[in-house]
Amino acid sequence: MPAPAEREPRSLVELLHRRAAAQPHDTAYIVLADRGGEEATITFAELQRRAHALARRIAEAAPAGERALLLFPSGIEFIVALFGCFCAGVIAVPMMLPRRHGGRDASASIVADCTPRLILSTRRLIAGERGDLAARFAGAGLAWLASDDADGADDETTTRLADPSREDVALLQYTSGSTSAPKGVVVTHGNLLANLAMIRAAFGTMPRSTLVSWLPQYHDMGLVIHVLHAIYLGSRLVLISPVAFLQRPLNWLRAISNYRAEFSGAPNFAYELCANRYRAEQLSGLDLSCWRIAVNGAEPVRAGTIRRFTEAYAPHGFAAAAVYPAYGMAEATVLITAGGRGDGAAMRALSREGLQQHRAVPPENAEDTQIAVGCGRAAIGERIAIADPDSLRRLGPDEVGEVWAAGDNVASGYWSGREASAAAFGATLAGEGEPCWLRTGDLGFIDAAGELFITGRIKDVIIIRGVNHYPQDIEHTVETAHPGLAQHGAAAFATSDAAGAERLVIVQEVARAHRRAAAPDELTRLIRAAVVADHDIAPYAIALIRPGTLPKTTSGKIQRSLTRQLWLEGRLDVL
Amino acid sequence: MPATPVNEADIRDWCLACLERMIDYPAAPVDPNTSFAEMGLDSATSLYFIVELEEWLGRELEPEIVGDYPTVAQLARHLADGNNGAEDAGPG
């Protein structure tokens, strides 16, 4: 007989409390060292004890509702700090750790946007291993707190811990928006719990499902689909650092095999990397038959990658039915659609030509064929619709339009400019009253069975290795790389390589007259170095063009898609 | 793994050959005195480069090493010094 349904917890604080009470000595998180072996583990009881102790220190430094930046390398300290914030009622702002040798990044804009009171980090980072961090955040009047400092008195009576309700804000997700204007999605405890219920139902995961993740913990896919999903289930999560994965991608698969993990997800590029780095001699004993749910999300899912990965690893027990494309975004906490457990990926042959005209029609011939991968159906409790982006009318099956989503997982807006948020988060379908829809900015269609296919995007964003990059940020970096480059004279856009992965192309006008003349080679070199430093992506191609020849509208707006078209056709006035 | 000890020129030549293979866009200069950033080495590519270099040298390297020694010439000099038993004291 099934156990009686457990009442849904009200907050992540209550969830942690339940886990610590029901299974105190079970291992919650395991961190693997970059060179192999277990580096650290923590049980549910220990997590709660440390989160409570840290929450008291946080509460002394900042009242409930204030923001705290979380600056951590991947690991357990981040998770302690996250729950420490929840238990103090302080809003957690997970952030990418700025690269030591990196250039401009979003950190200053994020500080300006959410005006945090605190920075939580580790003793090692604060004390000097990353001395550059103090300089980076100087001037904002922030107090630093090391999560791994002595816990202090575990006096349960001195400070009252928070007991958040579903409406209270748990965290801000800054994965959207440009560097200069970052957008912090306001995620409540209710949003998180609603999405976690959808995630569990969609994936069919259980307390005994071991999870593995190498994803950055500040990113919605790492944070919600792995770190919080695990504690929601009461299962254990094995963590690998993103650096360890990028260095040795097969370590990810090795961890899944060693821990008999059922669940692990990553963006498409990770599967591509594993397929490319396949080395039979390094894989003896690898058994992926335990891996029932291999989520593929956070960037476009490609049929070729799924095929190559499945072919390479089928001899090691990987089942095609485990391939699990999903679709979502931080504005919807994370997950919007996902397939059925064990169904594998739905694929459909479409006309490439038709897709360019935003129509989902059968291909004319083999040349014209593009295989679209389905991202599953709306999660339970979620609704999706396809809308004409201009008339806002609902479109029918197989008609391509903007993807809209509604559900308790959809956030109420961005931290700043909540009025501006209304357009994106509270849209109304023409002729249908409810102003509840999130406009995703992605293009796609829903087939007769309710499967969602993503075919393109309206929003100007370039996705490389699962990270969103905004063209205006890259253009700003490019224009300021040398005085011989024209201001407001750059266009950044993506093209696809043969396998369908996005790569960055930059087109830049040289200035009409500049005193410090520089050879095109020199300018190209400086542009490439500046883009790598500021954005950590290597431009695939850089085209320098004559002054005044970058396509712009009559009002002076850069026409990125026209520039892209001209670049592809070789019709730009290149120096 | 190379016959030890390798000298600075060996390391430099090996790095340049490896980067030639790894950098897959047209017109990127692979040169001992061009910075890794100017060659277009993002962090993902540089991590893979370091892994290859580790395997060839037969010793572990810190992922940040290409930031600390930002050209092939500087990196090769530093690694050759390391082979002679010098301390990892950082640049300069």
Side-chain angles (χ1 to χ4, degrees), chain A residues 196-276:
Chain A
L196 288 166
M198 293 174 184
I199 288 166
R200 180 173 60 187
F203 299 135
T205 39
M206 286 165 283
R208 63 166 185 275
S209 313
T210 293
L211 286 69
V212 168
S213 174
W214 60 265
L215 299 170
Q217 291 169 313
Y218 56 81
H219 186 278
D220 51 6
M221 195 176 184
L223 180 63
V224 184
I225 293 195
H226 292 88
V227 172
L228 297 180
H229 181 193
I231 192 169
Y232 186 73
L233 297 170
S235 61
R236 61 178 184 166
L237 170 63
V238 179
L239 292 159
I240 308 166
S241 80
V243 166
F245 166 74
L246 288 171
Q247 284 182 312
R248 293 175 178 79
L250 303 183
N251 283 359
W252 174 37
L253 307 182
R254 185 63 75 185
I256 291 167
S257 170
N258 289 349
Y259 286 90
R260 308 312 298 150
E262 179 184 76
F263 180 98
S264 189
N268 193 84
F269 87 88
Y271 295 93
E272 187 72 37
L273 205 55
C274 288
N276 292 342

Side-chain angles (χ1 to χ4, degrees), chain A residues 250 254 276-286 312-313 316, chain B residues 52 55:
Chain A
L250 303 183
R254 185 63 75 185
N276 292 342
R277 303 272 170 86
Y278 179 82
R279 303 282 181 275
E281 70 279 7
Q282 290 173 23
L283 295 172
S284 66
L286 186 77
Y313 293 98
H316 301 276
Chain B
E52 298 260 298
E55 282 169 9

Side-chain angles (χ1 to χ4, degrees), chain A residues 69-72 95-112 116 119 121 125-126 128-144 179 530 532-536, chain B residues 64 67:
Chain A
L69 296 184
L70 268 54
L71 273 185
F72 288 89
M95 255 187 70
M96 182 176 123
L97 199 53
R99 289 176 302 130
R100 181 142 60 103
H101 296 284
R104 265 180 294 224
D105 69 2
S107 50
S109 308
I110 291 175
V111 168
I119 300 187
S121 189
L125 284 191
I126 296 172
E129 183 173 274
R130 288 294 306 275
D132 58 307
L133 291 177
R136 232 175 238 275
F137 291 96
L142 292 159
W144 290 76
T179 307
V532 170
D534 286 0
H535 306 283
D536 195 23
Chain B
E64 292 275 3

Side-chain angles (χ1 to χ4, degrees), chain A residues 387-395 428-430:
Chain A
D388 180 311
D390 300 315
S391 71
L392 309 187
R393 278 200 340 269
R394 188 194 283 266
L395 298 175
T428 309
L429 282 163

